[in-house]
Amino acid sequence: MLVGEGTSCRLKADSPLVRALGGALTLFATILARKERVPLTEVADHLAIYAVVTGEAATDEGMILGCWAGMMRDAAEDEGRAAAD
C-alpha cells in the first residue's frame, strides 16, 4: 500500500500512521490559519522546504515530511475552493 492514496503523495511506508500524523498536523495548521495566525499555505511551504533539507540526509524522513506538506497543500486548496463558493 502506498501512503497518501488519493492525495499528491506516493510513498511506501506505514500508510495509516503516516496519513494519521499528516492529518493531525494539517488539523493544527488549519486551526492556526483560521485564527489568522499563519496561512495554511505558508505552513505547507515551510514544511516542504524542511522536507527537502531533511531528505538530503534522511530520504525516508524527507519523503514523509513531503507527503505531509502535500496533504496540507491539498487542504489549503480545498479550503480556498470552499471559500470561493
Side-chain angles (χ1 to χ4, degrees):
M1 178 182 250
L2 297 175
V3 170
E5 288 183 26
T7 68
S8 58
C9 180
R10 300 281 182 261
L11 172 68
K12 290 183 179 181
D14 187 355
S15 298
L17 179 61
V18 173
R19 279 195 309 270
L21 289 171
L25 199 60
T26 301
L27 172 70
F28 288 115
T30 301
I31 291 168
L32 288 173
R34 287 190 178 160
K35 296 287 186 181
E36 298 182 8
R37 301 279 187 220
V38 180
L40 188 53
T41 53
E42 184 178 342
V43 176
D45 291 344
H46 286 293
L47 187 57
I49 292 167
Y50 180 60
V52 170
V53 172
T54 300
E56 291 178 9
T59 304
D60 290 344
E61 288 88 345
M63 292 293 289
I64 291 168
L65 291 165
C67 180
W68 292 343
M71 291 172 72
M72 276 188 206
R73 172 66 63 186
D74 291 345
E77 289 173 3
D78 289 346
E79 190 175 75
R81 279 192 289 272
D85 291 340

